[in-house]
Amino acid sequence: MAKMMYRDAVRNTIFQEMKRDDSVVVLGEDVVGGMGTDGGPEAIGGIWSTSTGLFAEFGADRVIDTPISESAIVGAAGGLALSGKRPIAELMFADFIGVSLDQIWNQIAKFRYMFGGKSRCPAIIRMVYGAGYNAAAQHSQSPHAILTGMPGLKVVMPTTPADVAGLLRQAIRTDDPVIFMEHKALYGVQGEVPDDPDFTIPFGHARLTRAGEDVTIVATGMMVGMAEQAADTLAEDGIGADVIDLRSTSPLDEEAILDSVEVTGRLVVVDEAPPRCSLATDIAALVAEKAFASLKAPVQMVTAPHTPIPFARELESAYLPNPDKVEAAVRKALSYN
Amino acid sequence: MQLSREDLLGAYRRMKTIRDFEELLHEEIATGEIAGFTHLYCGQEAVAVGVCEHLSDDDKIVSTHRGHGHCLAKGCDVTGMMKEIWGSREGLCKGKGGSMHIADTDKGMLGANGIVGAGAPIAVGAAMAAKLDGKDKDGKLKVAIAFSGDGACNQGTTFEAMNMAVVTNAPAIFVFENNHYSEHTGYKYAVGTSRDIASRAEAFGMKVWRADGTDFSAVHDTMREVLEHVRAGNGPAAVEFDTERFYGHFEGDPQRYRGKGEMDRIRSERDCIKNFRRTVTEAKLLEGSDLDRVDEEVAKTIADAVAAARAADRPTAEDVLTDVYIDY
């Protein structure tokens, strides 16, 4: 096991897979960085340092630095994938799905189905999402629910460096388009990563990070840490919580959620996105439909408010879920008897 | 360069197959037997065939929602296509795609497309892949072709794709078929004041060509030059063909925007198939009887394809859920 940061797990996994498989290529804005400048290539290897060193190793045909053209980036990933390559396209911010939505939604997500199952589209669209950097309304969003709602896409949201490695390797080796969502506030998180160069984590398998019998807390990405903090505080009062990190929202590990709720009878969903038509409402509806008889309390949702993301520190803090809000939601769920 | 008798007959056969395939659809759609939206390519056959005659299955094309001609020219199966348009589970895309989404990646046909302008970025990706693969067994650099109309040339995606192809030196060819109408709007209105699509590509630094898209030999000769340029590793190129659309934007379009006598003039002066027949027979390259024989064979092929489409298995409700993912 090697200890490394979340961002290094991204880069290392891509590096290893590019070494292993010639058909893996990387493309995106500034994935090389510095092209066409006096500083030269790799003056910056991506603003998130998730592609540093790839260009030097693999060259311009496999590490394709692109203009700021998100539709062309995603579309080219589609064309590469249909032509037998395994492209990993990067959207510097998940917010930019708005610029490239047709290529994501109408093109790569639908090729396999529209073309009668004969075409494979092993394209990965990596995108950096989430709030926490005071980056305001166009650089902080968490659009996982929109993408999860698109049949044909797999949507993956790793929380730990180990999960980054296992899930990204799985994504690269998958023949379907995968939306790989990296939380910008997790890039500096350290963790152990297995050394096994074939270490993969199959999609649709949630990770139980805390175990308890009083309440189920479901979360993704940065929200997992908040749920864990709340669970640790509640444990001091003898309240036990299952904390479930979904890891992928499509496919969704329904069984993990339902099995837990059948034991605890109480569900708190923590979602960084606004509440309407969201991952939170989707999971609440799932439990209402399939585990209603187990519920001892109404489902509690801890989400951002229904508003664009604000800039000022005080406002962003107020906007985001936090451990106190999760704890309050758990106590509210426990108040029903 | 003069084509052999065999090549000329082959080109004529493909153009006539597209024409008959679509004339048949034109009739059948009027009866209500075929579901959905259908956009006919009739009139533009010389472009699809003149371009694709130069390509192998290793070369990719990305098409438009007027895609039947490109599919047939690239070698997609006639009966499989007909079954697809009929919505059969035996269709080329199992009835999942229909007229607007026919694809066959084994033939290098990466899909017709229901979104105007969406194809060009995909073609650039295919061209990047071609560049990675290097030369094929015959020492040829593989290429990818983006077919776009005068409507698609106004989409930002087309501009992004052209620029990115130049930046990455990808062997992409942007083939613009200017049939003078984007849906129901004239290119004289919609394509800026220059009305010149090729010059847009030129502005991105590509070498460009222009030719009469109703003249098969002009298309074929021009494409030979374009492909020599691109296969030599000079990066992307673009070509604009001036062509004609015989039917409306979609089937059922009353075409009230057409000028008086416009269709009669186009049909008599700008029909690429009639012109091909006249040119090759006047030059004594082929006999009228040779072409008549092809006509008969094509008519039979199309009639057989329709009969097969009518008799083919229909999809069932269970088929709705297949092919969403490969593995879950």
Side-chain angles (χ1 to χ4, degrees):
Chain A
M1 297 275 260
K3 200 169 173 103
M4 67 177 75
M5 281 191 281
Y6 188 96
R7 66 157 60 82
D8 298 326
V10 173
R11 188 180 56 238
N12 282 2
T13 307
I14 293 172
F15 188 93
Q16 288 171 356
E17 289 296 290
M18 289 184 82
K19 273 277 191 197
R20 186 189 63 85
D21 181 350
D22 284 348
S23 69
V24 179
V25 300
V26 164
L27 69 161
E29 296 154 22
D30 279 328
V31 293
V32 176
M35 298 292 276
T37 70
D38 289 345
E42 295 217 317
I44 297 174
I47 67 163
W48 307 107
S49 303
T50 48
S51 49
T52 314
L54 297 179
F55 178 81
E57 180 71 22
F58 302 105
D61 286 351
R62 291 184 67 196
V63 184
I64 304 164
D65 201 278
T66 68
I68 301 176
S69 305
E70 284 84 1
S71 289
I73 293 166
V74 179
L80 279 155
L82 287 178
S83 305
K85 306 301 174 198
R86 293 188 174 273
I88 307 173
E90 177 180 299
L91 291 187
M92 199 179 278
F93 289 89
D95 312 70
F96 304 163
I97 62 165
V99 185
S100 54
L101 194 58
D102 176 64
Q103 294 291 341
I104 295 174
W105 183 36
N106 282 320
Q107 308 299 330
I108 65 167
K110 293 179 166 64
F111 285 147
R112 176 164 169 76
Y113 193 80
M114 285 192 308
F115 299 166
K118 286 200 298 188
S119 304
R120 294 176 172 207
C121 185
I124 297 175
I125 315 298
R126 287 179 48 233
M127 55 182 73
V128 183
Y129 78 103
Y133 273 77
N134 308 106
Q138 296 170 346
H139 287 74
S140 304
Q141 297 173 90
S142 298
H144 49 282
I146 297 169
L147 295 155
T148 303
M150 294 174 190
L153 298 178
K154 293 173 177 173
V155 181
V156 181
M157 304 175 76
T159 303
T160 67
D163 281 3
V164 165
L167 293 166
L168 184 53
R169 192 172 285 108
Q170 177 72 23
I172 293 167
R173 298 180 185 189
T174 291
D175 283 338
D176 290 316
V178 177
I179 304 294
F180 196 84
M181 302 185 69
E182 296 158 25
H183 199 294
K184 60 173 79 69
L186 297 176
Y187 271 136
V189 169
Q190 293 257 8
E192 298 283 348
V193 175
D195 298 323
D196 178 3
D198 290 317
F199 167 60
T200 56
I201 299 170
F203 301 146
H205 292 269
R207 182 173 64 99
L208 187 70
T209 83
R210 296 284 187 279
E213 296 192 342
D214 298 314
V215 64
T216 302
I217 310 176
V218 173
T220 56
M222 187 167 71
M223 299 298 104
V224 174
M226 296 186 182
E228 287 171 336
Q229 279 187 51
D232 292 346
T233 307
L234 289 159
E236 291 168 14
D237 288 351
I239 299 164
D242 267 358
V243 174
I244 295 173
D245 176 1
L246 291 175
R247 300 205 281 200
S248 62
T249 58
S250 182
L252 178 69
D253 190 346
E254 294 189 5
E255 205 180 324
I257 300 167
L258 297 172
D259 286 354
S260 175
V261 170
E262 277 166 18
V263 173
T264 64
R266 295 181 178 85
L267 174 66
V268 175
V269 189
V270 192
D271 189 4
E272 185 172 338
R276 304 292 314 281
C277 301
S278 66
L279 182 67
T281 54
D282 187 62
I283 291 168
L286 168 79
V287 170
E289 185 188 7
K290 296 187 176 170
F292 185 75
S294 301
L295 285 174
K296 299 171 191 164
V299 174
Q300 303 298 309
M301 293 191 279
V302 183
T303 69
H306 192 68
T307 167
I309 299 176
F311 161 66
R313 285 200 178 87
E314 299 83 347
L315 295 176
E316 193 187 58
S317 296
Y319 172 91
L320 276 172
N322 60 38
D324 290 346
K325 290 179 190 174
V326 179
E327 185 188 336
V330 170
R331 292 193 187 279
K332 189 171 176 198
L334 286 160
S335 72
Y336 293 83
N337 278 311
Chain B
M1 191 199 291
Q2 190 48 61
L3 290 177
S4 70
R5 193 186 136 76
E6 194 180 295
D7 287 344
L8 284 170
L9 276 172
Y12 180 73
R13 182 188 310 277
R14 277 179 266 282
M15 286 199 289
K16 195 68 168 64
T17 302
I18 298 170
R19 177 67 57 88
D20 281 16
F21 188 96
E22 295 222 309
E23 296 283 15
L24 182 281
L25 289 181
H26 179 69
E27 287 166 23
E28 292 294 338
I29 286 160
T31 70
E33 191 174 346
I34 298 168
F37 300 143
T38 312
H39 310 78
L40 300 187
Y41 188 73
C42 269
Q44 303 179 213
E45 295 89 345
V47 178
V49 176
V51 170
C52 293
E53 289 286 278
H54 293 284
L55 308 179
S56 76
D57 288 352
D58 287 337
D59 298 311
K60 316 287 188 195
I61 69 164
V62 174
S63 176
T64 68
H65 62 246
R66 203 173 300 289
H68 305 150
H70 304 137
C71 292
L72 288 164
K74 197 69 173 67
C76 292
D77 178 59
V78 177
T79 307
M81 282 177 61
M82 198 69 89
K83 287 177 175 174
E84 184 60 31
I85 292 165
W86 247 261
S88 163
R89 74 198 306 261
E90 297 173 20
L92 209 53
C93 304
K94 299 186 192 164
K96 299 279 185 62
S99 165
M100 278 191 285
H101 307 298
I102 295 174
D104 188 346
T105 45
D106 291 344
K107 297 283 179 194
M109 167 62 205
L110 304 191
N113 208 308
I115 307 293
V116 173
I122 298 166
V124 173
M128 288 171 172
K131 195 177 159 204
L132 266 171
D133 288 344
K135 302 200 166 160
D136 69 11
K137 56 186 185 306
D138 302 322
K140 271 194 323 190
L141 180 63
K142 295 189 251 179
V143 300
I145 294 195
F147 285 103
S148 307
D150 47 303
C153 85
N154 293 327
Q155 289 278 26
T157 42
T158 307
F159 287 76
E160 288 190 23
M162 288 196 286
N163 186 55
M164 202 153 93
V166 170
V167 167
T168 58
N169 203 42
I173 298 167
F174 299 89
V175 173
F176 291 104
E177 292 180 78
N178 184 353
N179 67 16
H180 312 150
Y181 295 96
S182 52
E183 299 187 8
H184 318 112
T185 299
Y187 85 105
K188 290 177 184 172
Y189 171 82
V191 185
T193 52
S194 74
R195 297 170 190 170
D196 181 354
I197 298 167
S199 66
R200 294 181 173 185
E202 208 159 25
F204 286 102
M206 275 182 268
K207 189 165 178 187
V208 305
W209 283 258
R210 297 172 180 81
D212 180 355
T214 66
D215 177 347
F216 172 80
S217 72
V219 174
H220 195 262
D221 289 350
T222 303
M223 276 313 290
R224 181 183 294 112
E225 286 179 30
V226 176
L227 280 156
E228 275 171 11
H229 176 80
V230 174
R231 289 201 206 272
N234 292 310
V239 52
E240 177 179 355
F241 293 115
D242 186 84
T243 184
E244 303 291 349
R245 190 177 89 193
F246 281 10
Y247 293 108
H249 168 57
F250 57 90
E251 278 306 271
D253 171 7
Q255 299 200 73
R256 284 190 287 268
Y257 45 84
R258 294 277 193 181
K260 195 167 184 296
E262 181 179 333
M263 284 316 304
D264 291 341
R265 183 183 59 76
I266 289 170
R267 291 265 191 183
S268 69
E269 297 170 16
R270 300 264 290 159
D271 181 334
C272 60
I273 294 181
K274 272 190 201 159
N275 291 350
F276 180 95
R277 275 191 84 109
R278 192 172 53 241
T279 309
V280 295
T281 51
E282 279 176 7
K284 309 266 187 239
L285 296 165
L286 294 172
E287 296 293 320
S289 57
D290 297 328
L291 298 164
D292 292 344
R293 209 159 35 245
V294 172
D295 287 351
E296 283 166 28
E297 288 163 14
V298 169
K300 181 165 182 338
T301 301
I302 299 299
D304 289 350
V306 172
R310 286 211 171 92
D313 280 355
R314 303 300 304 172
T316 64
E318 288 76 49
D319 296 325
V320 172
L321 293 173
T322 57
D323 302 320
V324 181
Y325 302 99
I326 289 169
D327 44 52
Y328 211 72

